[in-house]
Amino acid sequence: MADTRIGIVKRIIWPAKASLFALIGGAVGLFGDLVNFFAEFLSADVLVLIFAVVTAVAGLLCFQRAFMVNAADDKAVDEVVQCTQCDAFRFGLFATAAFILLMLVGQGQSATEAVGRQLGLIKEDTAVIRDQVGDLHAMAQPQMIIDDPESAADHFNNAWIYQTMQRNSAKAFAEMQALYANYAPKKLDAAQLYFDSGNAVKGRAQLVEEMQALARKTGDATLLVIAARAAPSAEAGDEMAAEAQKLDPALPFAWWDIMRPKPVKVGDMTQRGAAAQRDRFIAERETVEKFRALYGAYPAQHWFFLPQFAGDLETIARQQSEGMANNIATYDDIASGRLADRVREEYRQKNR
């Protein structure tokens, strides 16, 4: 009798004629594996539980009928084996089996999820590498020669790299010549780079003369400012600065250049000498204040290609102006006789 019941169970699980519901169950197991991959709210454990519940309920109903049928009546057994409850049982059984098999392949996850995670890791690694390569390219960009320069900034970039990175002044100067042949950047660091690179391949006097001529041709007074620093005498430098002021009155460096300080002239300490010193400081302070007004009207990048290397010229100019104001007050006290009066008054107070 037991063998007969076991035979019925075998026929229920695997009937003589393949059951469409068994095939559908296997397909559903595969589909569940895909659903688990794409739907976050359905995990592998939840899907196994759903398939197991369906299988258990259908199996309970199926086996209840199977154990009540007359095992000797083949027709009755066939009807039970092909009943709706047994079809549902086979559906759930094969769906569960297919899904569990795929979970074993996926080592606790669905196979599709495991493969997806692997692909995700590969994709993530590729994205990280791409980001890192992008970062390296961004870091190297300022040190890369631009093959086909299309602007003054491109030429300056190339010349700066040749001069500072590759230490090739000849190429740097050629690049700067190409820059000023096509543009008038009016950037002080460009004029300085023209001088620095040219000074390595040309005589100083010849270079200064060329910079003067180039300034007149292009209207770029920054060339005169830099040339004035290298002038053969203070008087020649003053003449170049005056020319720069006429050529470009809005250029702050034409009025005051910290790299070309005025020589200190020590006069006599008489009232007349003090008045002359006071007037000289007043005139110099006016140029510094003019510089501050012009320079502060624009951001530093208006005056430099690389403003980060320019320093805080506004603060330096302010400190210079404040120092000159103190000197003006001191020399004015001397020139007006107020200082002498204070000294005499202090002397009388001490000797009473």
Side-chain angles (χ1 to χ4, degrees), residues 52-62 85 89:
V53 169
V54 171
T55 303
V57 173
L60 180 63
L61 297 174
C62 174
Q85 292 88 338
F89 169 69

Side-chain angles (χ1 to χ4, degrees), residues 92-122:
L93 180 64
F94 280 90
T96 304
F99 190 76
I100 290 176
L101 178 62
L102 291 172
M103 282 187 64
L104 292 175
V105 174
Q107 298 180 352
Q109 305 169 345
S110 72
T112 309
E113 183 179 3
V115 172
R117 287 184 180 276
Q118 292 296 326
L119 292 176
L121 289 175
I122 294 172

Side-chain angles (χ1 to χ4, degrees), residues 315-336:
T315 298
I316 295 173
R318 176 180 56 79
Q319 292 172 345
Q320 289 280 339
S321 179
E322 291 172 352
M324 290 178 182
N326 292 333
N327 290 335
I328 291 169
T330 299
Y331 282 112
D332 189 57
D333 283 348
I334 297 173
S336 64

